[in-house]
Amino acid sequence: MLSRKESYAYEISSALAEAVGIGESTIYPLMRRMQKEGLVKSRLVESSNGPSRKYYTLTHAGRQRLEQQTRDWRAFMTSVNHILGDSR
């Protein structure tokens, strides 16, 4: 998600909960870890209808990690499809 646009943690957790069943209790620690590792950076944005929101964006290191993990995932999928006899 962050490769397309900056997002705040609740927005990320809502999308992931809907798509793959990952909830807030997983996302917030993950975002803190990614920030500590220098993969994302954050900024606070004031809100007129509630508390400030922390928006996250990928750093250069985060984009590099995403590219590597995407290559790894595609290679894994190719291997599994080969084992299953699926040529997709």
Side-chain angles (χ1 to χ4, degrees):
M1 290 180 64
L2 292 177
S3 68
R4 294 185 295 270
K5 67 179 183 88
E6 75 175 355
S7 297
Y8 54 98
Y10 182 75
E11 181 179 42
I12 296 167
S13 68
S14 295
L16 289 176
E18 184 177 315
V20 293
I22 296 174
E24 287 180 46
S25 62
T26 303
I27 293 303
Y28 288 100
L30 176 61
M31 297 308 295
R32 281 192 297 274
R33 189 180 85 212
M34 288 175 66
Q35 192 165 14
K36 184 177 178 182
E37 292 176 4
L39 303 175
V40 296
K41 60 184 176 180
S42 66
R43 66 184 183 99
L44 280 178
V45 176
E46 297 293 324
S47 174
S48 59
N49 13 333
S52 299
R53 290 182 174 162
K54 186 183 279 192
Y55 280 82
Y56 294 91
T57 56
L58 284 179
T59 62
H60 179 70
R63 288 191 183 282
Q64 288 180 318
R65 175 80 62 90
L66 174 62
E67 290 171 10
Q68 180 60 53
Q69 288 180 340
T70 300
R71 284 191 299 273
D72 293 346
W73 177 253
R74 288 188 175 137
F76 174 77
M77 285 184 355
T78 299
S79 297
V80 169
N81 286 337
H82 179 72
I83 290 167
L84 296 174
D86 189 351
S87 60
R88 282 186 261 168

